[in-house]
Amino acid sequence: MLYSLKYTSSNKYKIMAGNNKNTEEIILAAAKKVFMQKGKAGARMQKIAEEAGINKSLLHYYFRSKDKLFETVFRDTFKDFMPKIAEFMSSDLPLFEKIKYFIESYIDMLNKNPYIFSFVLGELNTNPENLVEIMDRVTGIISEDYLGKFVEQIMEGIKDEEIIQLDARDLIINMIALSVFPFLARPIILGVFFQNDLDLYNKFLERRKKEVPQFIINSIRKK
Amino acid sequence: MLYSLKYTSSNKYKIMAGNNKNTEEIILAAAKKVFMQKGKAGARMQKIAEEAGINKSLLHYYFRSKDKLFETVFRDTFKDFMPKIAEFMSSDLPLFEKIKYFIESYIDMLNKNPYIFSFVLGELNTNPENLVEIMDRVTGIISEDYLGKFVEQIMEGIKDEEIIQLDARDLIINMIALSVFPFLARPIILGVFFQNDLDLYNKFLERRKKEVPQFIINSIRKK
DNA sequence: GTCTATACACTGATAGAC
DNA sequence: GTCTATCAGTGTATAGAC
């Protein structure tokens, strides 16, 4: 539950009747924005408070500490995305359809949260112990279980000589790499290849939703 | 020049005769380690000093401020790598050879500096203005000039029907993405796909030096 | 050049009034 | 629930002895 992390000694029902829920949402949106931009270490509670238009103390009232606030933001961010992907990848749809959908979903999700992966990978490097611990509590992010069915289909594809001999792990990593990288290196790519023209860059991303699956299928299909 | 950023009021030649050069190297190595691991915001001067086995004040004596130290580390890190790549990519070697070499070089460089890209991309997101400014002063990183010849060859390859119709930018981005991503997501990949077995992970990387070029060439070659 | 001591600023967090 | 005031801790940076 989204609001289960509130820390207070007062009566639960009384609180829920107040306007705190709305305040929490505002805080979380503000915190997400600042954390994504500045990273955990670089983010300032003062900045988050300003962004939310409230007092700094309120952040502590609602989330007790910076760490707790961070964890809540982190969990929230992946809450919706992962189950959707997991469901699709476990379905009975054909291999190539899954590849297309997987990449499209990733690019769509990244369009909505351009900084999400920079954020995750940044934190992952600066504080691996902590983040892995958090991720363990966020269903499915670190688990490869939801890819089981997909891996099976790859094996079959190889056996049936539909696709070339390959390691399923390479394929999956390549799929994610090609989807995610343009967002990770966004500022560089934007500058070097598109002269900071955001419109061109967005068209480029949109085009990639088709190009990347084609690129991959081209490479692995046996002809 | 590597040691041009020293700040002091005393006589230049006297200083160069001392053992400061060695101390600087030690500091820079320590700083690189800490910055790469913790990011600029997360890095602590105290930690860097400890890592170098010297006093905290000495850091300021040699580099005046955290910002200057960071910039020096940053510049140093790319000083060797970029010119080598640039030279090769401007050469007359055939397209497919360049693709192979480019990817191998990237993976080799990343093996030596596993955190370098996380570091760059992390800083790029948390502090774009600052880093772009720094990069402008680091020859070639943000410039696509050194890829001019390579882009020409792609055009020719398309015209000669050696490779399929494609956008040179996509190809370049894909090449970098596939090389770099396994390092960016290192902790995740290590955990999810290799049960934290570093030996397996390293073999996987080594294998990719051949697989990735093949993957790309497979995809773009006309048959 | 290197160290100790210390100034100064800032940040996360708490206490208490309303 | 929200605010003001304030504290303790930590970080960067500097002064000065050797």
Side-chain angles (χ1 to χ4, degrees), chain B residues 15 20 23 55 57 62:
Chain B
I15 287 163
N20 61 305
T23 304
N55 191 281
S57 304
Y62 278 99

Side-chain angles (χ1 to χ4, degrees), chain B residues 13 46 55 61-63 76 89 99 103 108 110 141 196:
Chain B
Y13 295 97
Q46 178 59 41
N55 191 281
Y61 174 76
Y62 278 99
F63 298 95
D76 264 34
M89 295 306 275
I99 291 176
I103 290 163
D108 276 340
L110 288 160
I141 285 190
N196 289 313

